[in-house]
Amino acid sequence: MMWLAQFALLVTSLVQPSLQQDGNSTAPFPSATYPNATSPNPAASVDASFSPPYYPSPWGTGAGEWASAYAKAKAFVSQLTLTEKVNLTTGVGWQSERCVGQNGAIPRLGFRSMCLQDSPVGVRDTDYNSVFPAGVNVAATFDRGLAYARGQAMGSEHQMKGTDVQLGPVAGPLGRAPEGGRNWEGFSPDPVLTGILFAQTVQGIQSAGVIACGKHYIANEQEHFRQATEAASYGYDISDAVSANIDDVTMHELYLWPFADAVRAGVASIMCSYNQVNNSYACQNSHTINYLLKGELDFQGFLVSDWQGQHSGVGSALAGLDLTMPGDTLFNSGQSYWGPNLTVAVLNGTIPQWRLDDMAVRIIAAWYYVGRDKTSIPINFDSWTLDTYGYQHFFAKEGYTLINEHVDVRQEHANLIRQIGSASTVLLKNTNNALPLTGKERSTAVFGEDAGSNPYGPNGCPDRGCDNGTLGMAWGSGSANFPYLVTPETAIQNEVLSNHGVFQSITNDYAAMQIQQLASQASVAIVFANADSGEGYISVDGNEGDRNNITLWKGGDVLIQNVSALCNNTIVVIHSTGPVLLGNYSSNPNITAILWAGVPGEQSGNSIADILYGRVNPGAKLPFTLAETREDYGTDLLYIPNNGKAAPQTPFTEGVFIDYRALDRAGVTPAYEFGYGLSYTTFSYSNLQVKTILGMNGTYTPTTGSTPPAPTYGTIANNTADYQFPANLTYVPYYIYPYLNSTDLKTAANSSDYGDNSDVPPNSQNSSSQPLLPAGGAPGGNPELYDVLYEVTATITNTGGIAGEEVPQLYISLGGPYDPKVVLRNFERLSIQPGTSATFTADITRRDLSNWDTVAQNWAISSYPKTIYVGSSSRKLPLTATLS
């Protein structure tokens, strides 16, 4: 039987901890000691290639708003047997159940297997679902309310499909490099913009009674080399995944920042990533999990591995992993690092009962925290086929039954999707008020494949793994099936025809003669071009997830140049997953308007038509910088292995200087800066006021004290006969079970050096009271970090003739020689009638004014002067004040 082979794994999988240099140093983390640094970028001189150990894994306490959920979870877990606890923590295997991931059920207590389902833009691999705009579009709205509403709508659709855990939203990748393949799934390379919208999305999803899963934790900044097996499919010979080597300051001030916001907002689960961090895999890195996430941020939910992101058994358990997905070591292998191996490790004492109990409590507490005991319904779809009937256990081809009920969960979400699409469209150029159009232009011509349909249909490429037709969705597991896709060509044609106009379109980018002829006749030419990207398991036109460059795809630049040479009223619309190079378009007099529309989802055409024809006044802002050259960003991806056959190394030597921070430091002028965006009206800024609440002289108290000792729930019998495969259970091939194949543990383990625990990390099994971290103390970190020190107000006046929306932005100069010129700290999207004013209000917290102190391992406000700025972008900051 296949399950008997599960114990053929090496002992390193069974009893050893992470051996990926999660070493023996007592240093808290590779640090950049800024006061004594001589490099213009202190992080560049730091050896961040080593991840120090931190044990034991902190046990959840029910802190903050988690008390009630923990009380219920403890009562539930106290009733469980050892194998039932193991079942909770281990996925049942790839394609073994109906969702992309499911753990084991507990039928005795009526607890069905939990359904974990992609994606961060909707419900993946099903039908009658919506496709929402990507995270990067939400970032462009700079709108907290729309982020929450989108999260709530997505959560509602997942809930109605029977999903327990929505695998989203995304804050990793943050967007270190503009070519990053999955940057579009997240929000922005700015940690504050990402953090605020990440948290709002989490709360929206969970308000619908579904567990949000914030991902990918952490420093998951490129697709190349994220998995050795995936890299091998592209011809690379490496032994391990790429290592993101990050210093302590950069980790805290950039990459960890949005996860702190999500934890404070109550995110109930977090997914660890494929990559290594300082040469320790992210799903078994005791520093990033135990010290940062569960210690410093006091995360109370559960940590789940990315699919095939687990690389050890005992090592990952002791390092803080709580749930492994999809459960098998490799897809459809029938073997697991946990499952029966976890049962053995608990029985022989390698993994203490308190650690297993903590895993189980965290999982069940998350379930109660979002109200799954009230909102859970049976799973009514299947991820592996859209057929109505099929196999419940798809890979094993067993259990033929009804698997797809085709439940329509879309409700009225198309209206919200359309609204976000238009609210996220950034107007970059509008010469002589070329926009909005009236719909009564004498002759309207639309050009570009990006305006039209995919000839194979909107879902014709698996996981959207192609760039055919308009870019409404990028590729990978972050995608979902379109119920339809409104193309720009269709929407604009409808607009023109409703006004009895003339409309023609050419969606073949290479039809040079026809393009020339039509462009010379058009009163207005609207040119669509795009740049696509996605997840690393799919390569499109040689782009292995990550983009090879940041130019437009499929000859988009040539198309724009050819049309604009013949039509002096050319409007350019860009759909892209991130920054692109715009050449001389901003200065080309024949290009009268430029719009960036991102990855807008199913209502793409209607959303852009709303902007083009003035039903919606654009108010979006760029969530990243559009630089003049690729080199201006100061960072790039690693495209070729640089460490022989060992793990490729990516030193984040730029520190916190990514995107606009990098250009500011270098004194480089971008094409369009971060936060930039025009409107059909105009705004003025005045009357900056700063009100001191606590001020910088207030006391900040490091957290002190200790945790209670690690609790255990229920008892575990040591009679191995109790854990054999039940006689009354039908075995399903390849399914991951928690049961043993022998009453002798050594025989069950099938390991030549069974019982050698010499590599179990010191202190990892310690259940005694542990000291609290000074920067910790509550979910999200020390509560005093979020004390409001100042309140800022400014008057924003609509000086134009129509109603519009403006996003005033608050930036702060922290004043230090190694700080960025300015950093975004707050924003608000305001709707203002013509000739009237609105008040922009923003809080400044202690965290907003602090830097990370690597010695104290805490946040501190430096003695350097602090200056605040308010304006319409990172480089248009007319209002300024100095904080005393």
Side-chain angles (χ1 to χ4, degrees), residues 593-614:
I594 305 174
L595 294 156
W596 178 85
V599 186
E602 66 185 43
Q603 287 283 323
S604 174
N606 287 334
S607 295
I608 196 64
D610 287 342
I611 293 289
L612 289 170
Y613 292 96

Side-chain angles (χ1 to χ4, degrees), residues 32-209:
T33 310
Y34 279 18
N36 300 318
T38 57
S39 168
N41 177 7
S45 62
V46 174
D47 177 14
S49 61
F50 174 82
S51 185
Y54 187 82
Y55 296 98
S57 183
W59 37 93
T61 60
E65 298 178 351
W66 285 80
S68 175
Y70 261 67
K72 295 175 183 177
K74 291 173 183 178
F76 184 90
V77 172
S78 294
Q79 305 174 63
L80 303 184
T81 65
L82 170 58
T83 50
E84 288 171 336
K85 292 174 181 177
V86 171
N87 242 11
L88 277 179
T89 68
T90 307
V92 297
W94 182 244
Q95 298 179 324
S96 286
E97 288 286 359
R98 293 162 67 184
C99 300
V100 295
Q102 287 183 233
N103 59 357
I106 305 174
R108 184 175 64 87
L109 297 180
F111 187 87
R112 73 157 170 80
S113 174
M114 289 172 61
C115 170
L116 290 78
Q117 189 70 16
D118 295 308
S119 74
V121 297
V123 190
R124 183 187 178 205
D125 292 332
T126 182
D127 51 13
Y128 299 95
N129 58 276
S130 302
V131 172
F132 291 82
V136 69
N137 282 67
V138 178
T141 70
F142 278 70
D143 192 315
R144 291 168 168 84
L146 286 179
Y148 184 93
R150 171 178 170 269
Q152 188 174 57
M154 291 192 301
S156 172
E157 295 200 8
H158 274 275
Q159 187 275 327
M160 292 176 68
K161 286 289 188 180
T163 301
D164 295 283
V165 183
Q166 178 181 348
L167 300 176
V170 172
L174 183 67
R176 172 181 178 256
E179 306 90 348
R182 299 181 78 177
N183 289 357
W184 60 278
E185 293 186 42
F187 297 94
S188 166
D190 183 86
V192 169
L193 179 57
T194 287
I196 289 172
L197 300 179
F198 190 43
Q200 288 292 322
T201 306
V202 163
Q203 291 181 325
I205 291 169
Q206 295 188 169
S207 73

Side-chain angles (χ1 to χ4, degrees), residues 226-462:
R226 63 180 190 153
Q227 297 183 89
T229 51
E230 184 176 276
S233 70
Y234 293 120
Y236 302 110
D237 185 9
I238 57 174
S239 60
D240 286 287
V242 64
S243 178
N245 299 334
I246 310 177
D247 68 273
D248 198 15
V249 169
T250 302
M251 176 64 79
H252 280 85
E253 296 186 9
L254 211 57
Y255 298 100
L256 188 64
W257 186 289
F259 284 98
D261 287 329
V263 172
R264 189 164 186 261
V267 67
S269 68
I270 287 178
M271 181 191 295
C272 50
S273 51
Y274 287 126
N275 56 287
Q276 298 189 74
V277 181
N278 298 343
N279 287 288
S280 177
Y281 276 104
C283 287
Q284 60 189 43
N285 187 311
S286 69
H287 185 89
T288 58
I289 299 172
N290 291 343
Y291 185 81
L292 295 179
L293 181 62
K294 293 186 174 181
E296 186 180 312
L297 299 188
D298 202 14
F299 173 56
Q300 297 293 307
F302 65 87
L303 182 74
V304 57
S305 71
D306 203 340
W307 274 228
Q308 293 186 152
Q310 185 185 29
H311 292 270
S312 68
V314 167
S316 59
L318 295 177
L321 185 65
D322 301 306
L323 175 61
T324 175
M325 280 291 150
D328 31 18
T329 54
L330 297 174
F331 291 165
N332 307 129
S333 68
Q335 299 182 344
S336 179
Y337 288 115
W338 282 2
N341 283 325
L342 186 55
T343 303
V344 169
V346 173
L347 288 173
N348 69 18
T350 309
I351 294 178
Q353 180 186 340
W354 65 258
R355 176 76 269 266
L356 177 64
D357 287 355
D358 182 57
M359 299 179 202
V361 166
R362 286 175 177 272
I363 294 167
I364 297 299
W367 192 79
Y368 279 117
Y369 183 76
V370 303
R372 291 303 293 161
D373 54 324
K374 301 179 180 66
T375 61
S376 178
I377 65 171
I379 300 164
N380 56 46
F381 70 99
D382 190 273
S383 297
W384 319 116
T385 176
L386 294 178
D387 293 343
T388 303
Y389 289 89
Y391 294 106
Q392 177 179 347
H393 310 297
F394 180 83
F395 188 73
K397 291 183 168 47
E398 293 201 359
Y400 193 83
T401 185
L402 173 68
I403 56 173
N404 274 308
E405 298 176 37
H406 310 290
V407 177
D408 193 332
V409 298
R410 293 173 295 164
Q411 303 166 73
E412 301 299 322
H413 295 156
N415 296 329
L416 175 64
I417 293 167
R418 182 170 180 169
Q419 179 186 2
I420 296 173
S422 58
S424 61
T425 299
V426 184
L427 179 62
L428 298 172
K429 179 182 180 180
N430 194 22
T431 303
N432 297 324
N433 297 319
L435 294 177
L437 301 172
T438 65
K440 299 178 181 180
E441 288 74 20
R442 183 172 177 83
S443 174
T444 300
V446 167
F447 298 90
E449 181 178 332
D450 183 63
S453 301
N454 181 345
Y456 304 129
N459 301 314
C461 302

Side-chain angles (χ1 to χ4, degrees), residues 643-668:
N643 195 25
K645 294 185 178 182
Q649 303 291 303
T650 55
F652 286 29
T653 52
E654 71 283 348
V656 299
F657 294 93
I658 65 172
D659 198 73
Y660 70 92
R661 302 171 177 208
L663 278 79
D664 285 350
R665 182 178 64 164
V668 173

Side-chain angles (χ1 to χ4, degrees), residues 666-717:
V668 173
T669 301
Y672 297 103
E673 70 269 19
F674 173 87
Y676 177 86
L678 299 175
S679 169
Y680 296 154
T681 189
T682 54
F683 300 95
S684 67
Y685 285 65
S686 63
N687 194 29
L688 178 65
Q689 300 288 325
V690 181
K691 179 181 178 182
T692 300
I693 307 299
L694 295 177
M696 287 186 284
N697 294 326
T699 302
Y700 173 58
T701 309
T703 297
T704 58
S706 300
T707 70
T712 56
Y713 303 102
T715 58
I716 291 178

Side-chain angles (χ1 to χ4, degrees), residues 629 673 725 739:
T629 71
E673 70 269 19
F725 197 93
Y739 306 112

